[in-house]
């Protein structure tokens, strides 16, 4: 048995590190955190200085059991989780759960998974940093307190199943407020003029008028003065300029740049970066430092000299603009600069290429430019046309890399200009004026939201990706696309001394892959902003992050910090729970022309909907769910009334009614006992009978049996997990070894028989009378099943020893608790009415 046990977080990292250490070491993975706060209950003893109640998570019991056995046999245990706060907490929890106080235990950290770094870490162990652990505990406890106390209020005041989070809710606020800015924005038009000149050498020179006009008449008057005018070069300036490279990547900047250059989501970037790190290709990817180690700088100098020459080398040390950045850490960089590319999947190769180029470029010489400005005047007015351009004299770092920016537009400054001289006469071939409208603020992309959060000091490198994923998973925000609207704009043109006017059409407001708040996201945000101003305040959230930093540095006691927050927060929670009004985002649209009742758009128990009539009317209100592309905040009365046309019978086909409707999972066509989804790009309101028949026929063809076996039809389909066949109520996955489009009868029999064999082997024991069965599950465990109740048992379970009494108790203990019947809200009203009647 090995003398040394090294524990890391991930199996991929364990495999890489094992190759660097000798036979005296065994490297095992904890698969992340092994303990957490319990899922049920708050899990915090508030009266006992906010003591967290940690428990081994159900999916880690076998992992902990294995690590306990290995650590008991090892002479020394090396806790080698990541060097951030989460990693320190993982090591601390392992120390406690594995009972390592009587064991020789050492904490080691490394910024990169290379042989040199691992050996250096082993030679320089340290103690667990309890300050970092406390900072992580403070974040976990504070977030649990906020979520646990605020979420039930949302269930009661808005809609069941909602949740609130400290950083997530503030992130949603940013997106909602930007959307409201866009909705309120009123565009202002102006006229921009561009002239196309011909030089003495017959070259073309494009120049822009330095003044813009606010009205069409002003533009026309300007062009009138240009008829017959003589143009010449009034001034010519050439100035040297330079561009400097960007700093190496931090977590924030790599998320932004991978989004802009590669189209990666924030979560995808972090997932791929994690793979690169665990494979030993890059340094640790959760960092807010722009530092590079002396070893890295030396390697970079050698690499740049060898690849591009000494004149391209310019070693720099960057300073982080973020005052809370941990300068002891390093920026994200390759571990071996000689590897310009790596093997691996496409995502890993692309991201590594980006990291390599950005890091190398950061230590390269400035790009040297020559910028040219040409001013052009005329003899009939005082207006100036100006042409700007630049020439790269020495490319420097641009030879390798150039940073992208959000919402980039074509930069006229970078065009190459023809050679001209001062007082040289120019011929104006044409002067074009175009009406342009001011643009509303841009919606956030995932990348620009990360940038904004970092600017405000909200969250830290490890929180950006999970925060953005969480607000989407909760249904508060979605990555949406807008087709935009059309509008008219005017153009003017002066050519051959004649002014021509035209009116053209353009599309505006179109957006692709931008973060947009949902109806429920807007209503929840507005409620939280109204009643939890402190928690939703940007500055307050940033101050909390700063407090975590102080805890990590040992300046502040974490329980005192939580206590200061909680005493005020809990008072607000109790006040809101008692006194806040219910929030529905209700908006009155108008009057129903048929019933004369008011029509409202609001959030209901099952989501956004339209309501005709009031809840206290004698006749019950009518309801209709709105479509996914609609919003309660901008739906019109006409659009709302169309929703009540559903369900709508389109006609009859093959002796069955064809009905179109909207259900929980979207619009559909109902035919016989089949529900056929309508493609999301098609409006169910406009669906014709002929198109419905097409969808029906496609469904019938897809569902038609492809074979029969043992008296049951076999059908084919494709689902979330790939292609499958359905037989006797079983869904059987079809692996890639089969040609799914051309399955033979022999293939089908093989798939079914294989499924039957697996199912028979899975059932270990059965209690038929009680309809209870014990099945094999993954990782050597067992599942005890009765109807919809499934209880996971550990692999230490002895199936033969279980009695009926024991399994019935296990099932009963895990059965969903029956809710007490809700009291009818009408009871008090009814009583009041009766009392009034008696009087």
């Amino acid at each position: 048995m090995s003398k040394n046990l090294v524990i890391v977080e991930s199996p991929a990292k364990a495999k890489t590190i094992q190759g660097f250490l000798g036979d005296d070491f065994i490297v095992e993975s904890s698969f992340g955190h092994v303990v957490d706060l319990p899922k049920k209950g708050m899990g915090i003893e508030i009266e006992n200085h906010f003591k967290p109640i940690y428990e081994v998570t159900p999916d880690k019991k076998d992992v902990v059991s294995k690590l306990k056995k290995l650590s008991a046999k090892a002479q020394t245990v090396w806790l080698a989780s990541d060097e951030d706060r989460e990693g320190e907490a993982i090591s601390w929890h392992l120390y406690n759960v594995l009972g390592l106080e009587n064991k020789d235990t050492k904490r080691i950290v490394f910024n990169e998974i290379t042989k040199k770094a691992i050996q250096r870490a082993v030679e320089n162990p340290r103690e667990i940093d309890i300050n970092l652990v406390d900072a992580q505990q403070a974040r976990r406890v504070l977030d649990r307190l906020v979520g646990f106390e605020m979420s039930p209020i949302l269930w009661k005041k808005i809609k069941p199943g909602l949740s609130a989070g400290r950083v997530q809710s503030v992130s949603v606020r940013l997106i909602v407020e930007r959307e409201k800015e866009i909705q309120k924005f009123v565009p202002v038009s102006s006229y921009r003029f561009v002239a196309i000149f011909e030089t003495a050498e017959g070259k073309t020179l494009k120049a822009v008028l330095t003044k813009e006009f606010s009205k069409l008449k002003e533009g026309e008057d300007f062009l009138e003065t240009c008829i017959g005018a003589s143009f010449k070069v009034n001034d010519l300036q050439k100035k040297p300029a330079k561009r400097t490279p960007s700093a190496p990547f931090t977590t924030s900047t790599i998320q932004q740049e991978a989004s802009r250059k590669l189209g990666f989501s924030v979560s995808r970037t972090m997932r791929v970066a994690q793979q690169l790190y665990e494979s030993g290709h890059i340094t640790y990817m959760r960092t807010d430092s722009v530092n590079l180690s002396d070893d890295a700088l030396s390697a970079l100098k050698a690499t740049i000299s060898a690849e591009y020459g000494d004149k391209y080398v310019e070693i720099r040390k960057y300073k982080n603009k973020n005052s809370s950045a941990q300068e002891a850490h390093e920026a994200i960089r390759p571990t071996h600069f000689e590897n310009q590319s790596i093997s691996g999947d496409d995502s890993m190769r692309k991201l590594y290429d980006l990291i390599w180029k950005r890091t190398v470029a950061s230590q390269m010489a400035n790009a040297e430019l020559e910028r040219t400005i040409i001013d052009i005047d005329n003899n009939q007015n005082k207006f100036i046309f100006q042409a700007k351009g630049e020439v790269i004299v020495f490319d420097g770092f641009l030879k390798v890399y150039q940073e992208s920016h959000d919402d980039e537009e074509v930069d006229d400054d970078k065009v190459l200009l023809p050679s001209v001289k001062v007082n040289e006469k120019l011929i104006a071939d044409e002067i074009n004026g175009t009406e342009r409208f001011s643009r509303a603020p841009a919606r956030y992309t995932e990348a620009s939201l990360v940038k904004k959060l970092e600017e405000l000091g909200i969250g830290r490198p490890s929180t950006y990706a999970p925060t953005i994923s969480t607000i989407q998973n909760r249904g508060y925000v979605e990555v949406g696309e807008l087709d935009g609207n059309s509008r008219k704009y005017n153009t003017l043109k002066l050519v051959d001394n004649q002014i021509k006017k035209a009116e053209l059409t353009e599309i505006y407001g179109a957006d692709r892959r931008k973060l947009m708040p949902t109806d429920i996201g807007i209503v929840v945000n507005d409620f939280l902003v109204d009643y939890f101003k402190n928690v939703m305040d940007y500055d307050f959230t940033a101050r909390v992050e700063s407090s975590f930093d102080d805890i990590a540095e040992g300046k502040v006691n974490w329980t005192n910090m939580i206590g200061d927050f909680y005493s005020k927060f809990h008072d607000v929670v109790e006040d809101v729970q008692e006194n806040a009004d219910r929030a529905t985002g209700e908006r009155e649209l108008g009057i129903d022309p048929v019933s004369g009742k008011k029509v409202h758009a609001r959030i209901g128990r099952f989501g956004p909907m339209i309501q005709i009539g009031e809840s206290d009317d004698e006749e019950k209100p009518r309801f209709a769910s709105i479509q996914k592309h609609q919003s309660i905040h901008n739906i019109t009365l006409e659009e709302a009334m169309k929703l009540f046309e559903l369900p709508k019978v389109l006609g009859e086909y093959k002796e069955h009614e064809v009905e179109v409707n909207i259900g929980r999972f979207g619009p559909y066509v109902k035919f016989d006992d089949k529900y056929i989804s309508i493609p999301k790009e098609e409006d169910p309101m406009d669906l014709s009978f002929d198109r419905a028949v097409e969808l029906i026929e496609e469904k019938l063809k897809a569902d038609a049996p492809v074979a029969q076996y043992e008296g049951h039809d076999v059908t084919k389909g494709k689902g979330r997990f790939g292609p499958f066949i359905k037989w006797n109520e079983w869904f059987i996955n079809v692996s890639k070894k089969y040609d799914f489009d051309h399955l033979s009868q022999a293939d089908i029999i093989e798939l079914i028989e294989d499924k039957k064999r697996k199912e028979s082997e899975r059932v270990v024991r059965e209690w038929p009378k009680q309809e209870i069965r014990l099945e094999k599950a993954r990782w050597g465990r067992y599942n005890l099943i009765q109807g919809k109740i499934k209880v996971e048992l550990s692999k230490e379970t002895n199936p033969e020893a279980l009695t009926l009494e024991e399994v019935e108790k296990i099932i009963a203990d895990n059965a969903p608790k029956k809710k007490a019947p809700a009291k009818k809200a009408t009871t008090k009203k009814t009583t009041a009415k009766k009392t009034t009647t008696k009087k």
Side-chain angles (χ1 to χ4, degrees):
M1 188 66 197
S2 298
K3 296 177 183 178
N4 299 279
L5 172 64
V6 181
I7 306 177
V8 296
E9 299 105 316
S10 78
K13 188 194 289 190
K15 185 178 178 182
T16 307
I17 292 173
Q18 184 69 71
F20 299 142
L21 298 172
D23 294 336
D24 280 346
F25 289 82
I26 180 171
V27 186
E28 285 291 334
S29 169
S30 70
F31 295 85
H33 281 279
V34 293
V35 304
D36 196 5
L37 298 174
K39 285 190 176 180
K40 293 181 179 178
M42 182 178 282
I44 299 167
E45 295 179 358
I46 293 174
E47 302 302 325
N48 188 14
H49 304 289
F50 303 97
K51 180 184 176 183
I53 304 168
Y54 294 116
E55 62 179 30
V56 176
T57 53
D59 61 327
K60 296 296 173 62
K61 287 181 180 178
D62 291 342
V63 173
V64 169
S65 177
K66 180 181 179 180
L67 292 176
K68 273 186 178 179
K69 290 175 184 176
L70 291 171
S71 62
K73 296 175 183 178
Q75 290 181 9
T76 305
V77 177
W78 305 77
L79 300 173
S81 50
D82 292 333
E83 62 174 328
D84 57 10
R85 297 169 193 173
E86 290 294 326
E88 206 70 20
I90 288 172
S91 284
W92 184 67
H93 288 309
L94 284 168
Y95 182 86
N96 293 322
V97 170
L98 302 182
L100 299 178
E101 62 270 11
N102 297 321
K103 179 71 62 176
D104 185 9
T105 306
K106 297 178 180 179
R107 173 80 171 110
I108 57 172
V109 294
F110 36 83
N111 188 47
E112 59 187 55
I113 304 177
T114 59
K115 188 170 185 176
K116 183 179 178 182
I118 301 302
Q119 289 175 342
R120 186 187 298 153
V122 170
E123 291 166 5
N124 298 279
R126 63 168 173 81
E127 299 293 318
I128 291 174
D129 188 335
I130 198 65
N131 291 328
L132 293 180
V133 174
D134 286 346
Q136 189 273 346
Q137 286 196 106
R139 179 187 293 279
R140 188 74 184 92
V141 168
L142 184 62
D143 288 348
R144 172 59 71 97
L145 289 169
V146 170
F148 198 87
E149 297 215 346
M150 284 172 61
S151 296
I153 293 176
L154 298 182
W155 307 342
K156 181 180 178 182
K157 302 296 183 180
I158 302 177
K159 179 178 174 284
L162 298 176
S163 57
R166 184 179 57 85
V167 176
Q168 295 93 326
S169 297
V170 175
S171 302
V172 173
R173 181 183 179 183
L174 282 169
I175 295 164
V176 170
E177 289 186 345
R178 178 59 55 87
E179 193 69 25
K180 289 181 177 180
E181 283 181 61
I182 294 168
Q183 299 302 332
K184 291 177 183 176
F185 182 78
V186 178
V188 177
S189 70
S190 60
Y191 289 82
R192 181 175 184 256
F193 284 84
V194 177
I196 307 297
F197 295 104
E198 185 180 324
T199 69
E201 295 180 350
K203 304 283 186 180
T204 298
L205 175 61
K206 181 180 174 183
V208 179
L209 194 69
T210 56
K211 178 177 175 56
E212 292 186 358
F213 301 103
S214 58
K215 296 178 181 177
L216 178 64
K217 181 66 168 62
E218 293 174 352
E220 287 184 88
D221 292 343
F222 162 70
L223 283 185
E224 290 282 355
T225 65
C226 292
I227 295 174
S230 298
F231 292 88
K232 67 176 174 60
V233 175
N234 177 52
D235 190 27
L236 174 61
Q237 299 178 44
K238 290 189 177 182
K239 297 179 179 178
K242 68 177 181 179
R243 281 194 218 162
T244 56
S246 301
F249 280 133
T250 61
T251 303
S252 165
T253 54
I254 196 173
Q255 289 171 355
Q256 294 171 50
E257 195 73 341
S259 173
R260 292 185 289 242
K261 275 190 159 64
L262 306 179
F264 285 9
S265 67
V266 168
S267 58
R268 181 181 177 188
T269 298
M270 294 311 293
R271 184 175 65 251
V272 176
Q274 180 95 29
Q275 292 172 326
L276 289 171
Y277 168 64
E278 291 175 349
S279 303
H281 293 307
I282 65 169
T283 53
Y284 191 53
M285 67 288 158
R286 290 189 180 92
T287 177
D288 48 14
S289 172
V290 290
N291 278 352
L292 293 174
S293 67
D294 291 339
D295 287 348
L297 292 174
S298 298
L300 277 165
K301 183 176 181 180
T303 299
I304 297 166
S305 294
E307 292 290 330
Y308 309 107
D310 291 343
K311 67 178 181 178
Y312 280 91
V313 179
E314 187 174 331
I315 300 300
R316 299 174 173 81
K317 291 209 171 182
Y318 292 87
K319 186 164 181 63
N320 205 310
K321 295 176 184 176
N322 181 358
S323 59
S324 64
Q326 301 176 63
E327 297 294 350
H329 294 171
E330 262 198 278
I332 303 169
R333 63 165 175 83
T335 52
H336 301 287
F337 290 102
E338 62 271 23
N339 297 334
Q340 290 196 28
S341 59
I342 60 164
S343 58
D345 68 26
D346 193 47
S347 295
M348 288 175 70
R349 283 188 284 105
K350 285 180 177 177
L351 191 62
Y352 180 84
D353 180 64
L354 197 67
I355 294 167
W356 190 91
K357 288 179 176 176
R358 172 81 165 223
T359 313
V360 169
S362 74
Q363 303 304 318
M364 292 178 71
N366 294 332
E368 295 174 10
L369 315 169
E370 182 182 75
R371 288 195 177 136
T372 303
I373 301 174
I374 302 171
D375 286 351
I376 302 162
D377 63 5
N378 68 81
N379 64 339
Q380 294 192 184
N381 61 53
K382 295 180 180 180
F383 296 109
I384 301 291
F385 280 96
Q386 196 170 74
K388 295 180 180 179
E390 68 181 27
V391 175
I392 296 175
V393 178
F394 172 60
D395 54 2
F397 76 93
L398 294 176
K399 194 175 192 72
V400 174
Y401 183 85
Q402 185 167 353
E403 186 180 18
S404 301
H405 297 279
D406 289 311
D407 302 313
E408 286 185 312
E409 294 183 2
V410 177
D411 192 343
D412 292 333
D413 293 3
K414 295 175 184 176
V415 298
L416 187 61
L417 302 178
S419 177
V420 293
K421 298 174 183 176
V422 175
N423 293 323
E424 178 179 329
K425 290 188 176 180
L426 303 173
I427 298 171
D429 290 336
E430 58 184 66
I431 301 176
N432 297 297
T434 307
E435 184 181 17
R436 284 289 170 250
F437 295 86
S438 54
R439 295 168 61 181
R443 290 181 174 89
Y444 288 106
T445 60
E446 287 192 359
S448 61
L449 180 61
V450 166
K451 185 177 181 181
K452 187 67 176 178
L453 290 171
E454 187 180 41
E455 285 174 0
L456 293 172
I458 296 169
R460 284 297 179 262
S462 61
T463 66
Y464 298 138
T467 294
I468 292 173
S469 296
T470 298
I471 60 178
Q472 291 179 60
N473 294 337
R474 287 177 176 171
Y476 297 153
V477 171
E478 59 188 12
V479 178
E481 298 189 4
L482 293 177
D483 294 333
N485 301 299
S486 62
R487 68 180 168 204
K488 303 288 186 182
Y489 70 97
N490 296 307
T491 64
L492 296 166
K493 177 182 281 193
L494 176 62
V495 61
D496 296 333
N497 287 328
Q498 288 188 333
I499 297 174
K500 298 178 180 178
K501 291 194 292 185
E503 188 179 66
L504 304 177
T505 303
E506 67 178 357
I507 300 296
Y508 73 98
D511 254 334
R512 282 181 55 79
R513 297 202 59 75
K514 296 293 180 68
L515 295 173
M516 302 177 189
T518 61
D519 281 342
I520 195 71
I522 294 171
V523 173
V524 167
N525 173 76
D526 291 351
F527 179 85
L528 293 178
V529 169
D530 283 346
Y531 292 104
F532 292 94
K533 290 182 172 64
N534 203 21
V535 176
M536 297 294 287
D537 180 72
Y538 300 134
D539 290 337
F540 170 77
T541 309
R543 287 197 301 275
V544 169
E545 293 294 343
S546 181
S547 296
F548 293 151
D549 294 338
D550 290 339
I551 294 167
E553 293 172 16
K555 297 176 182 176
V556 174
N557 178 279
W558 78 270
T559 56
N560 291 343
M561 177 258 176
I562 298 291
D564 290 343
F565 166 82
Y566 186 74
S567 59
K568 300 167 190 169
F569 170 71
H570 187 66
D571 289 343
V572 175
V573 168
E574 291 189 325
D575 178 59
V576 173
Q577 199 151 15
E578 189 67 31
N579 301 311
D581 295 327
R582 184 172 172 78
T584 63
E586 188 168 301
R587 176 171 156 258
E588 188 176 323
L589 304 181
I591 302 297
D592 172 20
V594 177
S595 66
K597 295 180 178 180
K598 288 181 180 179
V599 181
H600 299 273
R602 67 181 184 87
I603 298 292
R605 184 176 180 81
F606 301 105
M609 66 175 194
I610 304 299
Q611 175 178 325
I612 299 177
E614 307 296 341
S615 55
D616 54 0
D617 288 348
E618 285 187 22
E619 189 179 350
K620 284 185 178 179
R622 294 171 61 203
F623 303 98
S625 296
I626 71 171
Q627 297 183 63
K628 285 188 177 180
H629 68 276
Q630 295 174 321
S631 167
I632 62 172
H633 296 93
N634 54 33
I635 191 171
T636 64
L637 177 63
E638 183 182 2
E639 291 167 340
M641 297 314 298
K642 275 185 114 180
L643 295 171
F644 289 90
E645 296 174 9
L646 300 179
K648 180 167 63 176
V649 175
L650 300 180
E652 193 174 285
Y653 183 63
K654 293 184 178 179
E655 299 182 355
H656 293 287
E657 278 189 346
V658 177
E659 182 184 282
V660 61
N661 202 356
I662 298 175
R664 187 177 170 191
F665 302 106
Y668 64 86
V669 171
K670 184 175 184 295
F671 171 76
D672 194 10
D673 60 349
K674 297 186 183 298
Y675 294 85
I676 304 145
S677 293
I678 297 172
K680 63 180 181 179
E681 64 273 9
E682 297 185 39
D683 189 339
M685 298 299 179
D686 300 329
L687 195 75
S688 66
F689 175 76
D690 290 341
R691 176 56 181 148
V693 169
E694 283 180 27
L695 294 172
I696 292 166
E697 284 299 328
E698 288 172 11
K699 178 68 173 172
L700 293 175
K701 186 178 178 182
D703 290 351
V706 295
Q708 267 211 342
Y709 186 61
E710 295 183 349
H712 298 286
D713 288 339
V714 180
T715 58
K716 291 165 63 175
K718 290 185 179 179
R720 284 177 62 196
F721 305 107
F724 64 85
I725 60 170
K726 184 182 179 186
W727 175 81
N728 195 18
E729 302 305 318
W730 279 354
F731 292 88
I732 305 168
N733 290 332
V734 180
S735 66
K736 289 182 179 178
K737 80 172 190 175
Y738 297 95
D739 183 351
F740 181 69
D741 294 326
H742 304 93
L743 286 175
S744 66
Q745 182 73 12
D747 293 336
I748 289 168
I749 293 172
E750 184 178 354
L751 286 162
I752 293 171
E753 288 299 327
D754 189 47
K755 176 72 172 176
K756 286 164 71 177
R757 178 182 56 78
K758 288 178 180 176
E759 289 295 320
S760 65
E761 291 174 355
R762 179 182 296 172
V763 179
V764 180
R765 285 189 67 188
E766 281 189 278
W767 293 266
K769 188 176 178 182
Q770 290 77 18
E771 296 183 345
I772 299 174
R773 65 187 187 277
L774 185 70
E775 294 184 351
K776 290 179 182 177
R778 296 177 70 187
W779 317 119
R781 300 185 181 93
Y782 298 92
N783 285 332
L784 192 62
I785 301 169
Q786 184 186 52
K788 293 184 178 181
I789 302 171
K790 185 195 295 189
V791 185
E792 188 179 90
L793 307 179
S794 72
K795 63 182 179 182
E796 281 75 27
T797 302
N798 182 351
E800 300 305 321
L802 283 173
T803 65
L804 175 59
E805 185 179 337
E806 287 173 333
V807 299
E808 285 184 325
K809 184 176 187 307
I810 293 170
I811 291 288
D813 289 345
N814 288 274
K817 300 290 186 289
K818 290 184 179 179
K819 294 181 180 178
K823 293 180 181 179
K824 291 186 178 180
T826 55
T827 306
K828 289 184 180 179
K829 289 186 179 180
T830 308
T831 307
K833 284 181 182 178
K834 284 182 179 178
T835 306
T836 308
T837 307
K838 285 178 181 177
K839 285 180 181 179

